[in-house]
Amino acid sequence: MLNIRETVVLGWAPTPTQYRALVRSSLMSLCNSPDSSYVSFFGLGSYVPMTSSELPTLQAIETLSAKAAAALDKELMSTGAFSIDQLMELAGLSVSQAVYRVHPISKGPRILVAVGPGNNGGDGLVAARHLRHYGYQPTIYYPKRSKNELYQRLAKQLEDLDVPFVDDFPAALNSADHVVDAIFGFSFSGEVREPFPAVIRAMEETKIPVTSVDAPSSWNIEKGPPTSGVGSLFHPDVLVSLTAPKPLVKFFHGRHFIGGRFVTPTIAKKYDFDVPEYEGLDQVVEVGPSGQKL
Ligand SMILES: NC(=O)C1=CN([C@@H]2O[C@H](COP(=O)(O)OP(=O)(O)OC[C@H]3O[C@@H](n4cnc5c(N)ncnc54)[C@H](O)[C@@H]3O)[C@@H](O)[C@H]2O)[C@H](O)CC1
Ligand SMILES: [K+]
């Protein structure tokens, strides 16, 4: 959409409704810009009478709390009639597509995937398989292997593709071109327990780009990065929010994608978020700071 200055230059006279939309979208981008003093400088809000509900808030992106995300997951697998395998396959496929977009093979094929003990880790295992089929060379760090049959099958599928599993994450980082952080998602809570503190520290310090699955691991789902200690300096370059962003996104400043193309309009309405506009075959949509499609 054109911004206010562009419309003035073009000499186009907007109708009151169009003007209102322009003011709103300009305010939205200004509010989300690092220099929000522009808002008062232009005094845009005073040109058109706007109700308080029309005025954008600083963080307009729609988010799902950890509790709501877990309830939604449960609902998809009960009334929604999905199996966990299906959801995880689509979640992992989304992650693989986001990695393909931000880190094409020409930037380096070696993808180190850090896999946690729960479903976030499962998304990472699925993403690694797709990345392998795209021609990348994934390596898996999976220190807390689950006995659950689903994860065992996902690991076997990778072994059958000769994808290596390694025990030393910091060492593996030395020969990686990109990292996928699939350690913890929306069920993470408290302080990071062993053996993951060293892994989070390595991701804090590395210069290699990191893509986090659903949440930067170690961040509180509502409050973002810990104020001190492990994870307080962890700022991944890319985040793939699954189904809908979690509240922690307001602390995230990198490239942000939404994936998990399986939500029905009815479920989205019930949980009060919009399904993003996926294009064509895409399993991810890149969004800006206020959740708008880029
Ligand atoms: N609908 C969707 O969008 C889907 C998302 N998926 C992914 O699933 C995760 C949530 O998975 P869940 O199994 O509930 O939990 P996590 O993977 O986040 O982690 C649980 C795991 O971690 C351990 N743990 C928790 N806190 C700590 C800690 N402080 N230190 C060490 N370990 C910890 C806990 O014991 C468990 O073992 C979601 O984010 C998406 O990525 C689904 O794949 C598909 C549907
Ligand atoms: K993660």
Side-chain angles (χ1 to χ4, degrees):
M1 177 178 288
L2 297 174
N3 67 32
I4 295 238
R5 272 171 290 180
E6 284 166 330
T7 51
V8 170
V9 171
L10 288 171
W12 171 62
T15 64
T17 310
Q18 288 169 328
Y19 209 121
R20 196 186 289 257
L22 276 167
V23 168
R24 187 182 157 79
S25 76
S26 297
L27 273 173
M28 292 282 275
S29 52
L30 289 168
C31 282
N32 284 304
S33 88
D35 186 359
S36 54
S37 62
Y38 276 123
V39 177
S40 52
F41 175 74
F42 285 116
L44 294 174
S46 61
Y47 281 61
V48 176
M50 297 178 90
T51 65
S52 58
S53 65
E54 284 175 308
L55 284 169
T57 54
L58 192 60
Q59 188 60 42
I61 195 162
E62 293 155 330
T63 60
L64 263 185
S65 69
K67 214 169 147 192
L72 189 153
D73 236 25
K74 228 171 162 181
E75 184 153 353
L76 284 168
M77 287 185 275
S78 51
T79 52
F82 280 98
S83 68
I84 182 63
D85 303 42
Q86 282 181 292
L87 297 178
M88 200 173 277
E89 190 64 31
L90 290 166
L93 182 62
S94 305
V95 173
S96 70
Q97 288 196 355
V99 171
Y100 186 81
R101 289 229 203 138
V102 300
H103 187 97
I105 297 184
S106 55
K107 287 192 176 181
R110 301 166 303 172
I111 313 285
L112 176 59
V113 186
V115 176
N119 289 350
N120 196 260
D123 298 347
L125 294 172
V126 171
R129 169 161 38 80
H130 288 291
L131 288 165
R132 174 73 188 81
H133 285 298
Y134 303 161
Y136 291 88
Q137 295 160 15
T139 294
I140 312 294
Y141 170 76
Y142 187 20
K144 287 261 173 196
R145 289 212 190 195
S146 168
K147 293 205 169 61
N148 180 309
E149 191 223 341
L150 167 59
Y151 301 97
Q152 294 198 350
R153 282 192 282 111
L154 293 175
K156 167 82 165 58
Q157 290 159 17
L158 289 166
E159 282 156 9
D160 287 351
L161 286 166
D162 296 325
V163 172
F165 284 66
V166 294
D167 294 328
D168 187 341
F169 183 83
L173 205 49
N174 288 330
S175 46
D177 301 307
H178 194 97
V179 180
V180 173
D181 152 32
I183 304 178
F184 306 121
F186 63 61
S187 298
F188 171 80
S189 66
E191 286 186 11
V192 182
R193 296 190 296 272
E194 293 298 337
F196 296 105
V199 181
I200 305 289
R201 273 195 215 100
M203 290 196 296
E204 280 179 324
E205 288 163 12
T206 186
K207 299 269 184 291
I208 297 166
V210 179
T211 291
S212 286
V213 178
D214 212 20
S217 299
S218 77
W219 285 25
N220 180 286
I221 301 304
E222 327 292 328
K223 297 183 198 145
T227 48
S228 61
V230 176
S232 56
L233 300 175
F234 179 40
H235 289 281
D237 305 77
V238 182
L239 173 65
V240 186
S241 293
L242 293 165
T243 308
K246 313 302 174 294
L248 52 73
V249 287
K250 55 180 171 290
F251 301 94
F252 174 73
H253 304 295
R255 290 182 69 178
H256 184 201
F257 294 82
I258 299 180
R261 195 176 180 180
F262 42 63
V263 178
T264 61
T266 313
I267 287 207
K269 194 167 170 214
K270 178 169 174 187
Y271 287 85
D272 200 20
F273 65 90
D274 290 324
V275 177
E277 283 175 37
Y278 292 94
E279 270 183 22
L281 308 175
D282 292 353
Q283 298 294 319
V284 281
V285 176
E286 186 164 8
V287 294
S290 55
Q292 79 278 21
K293 191 174 170 190
L294 292 178

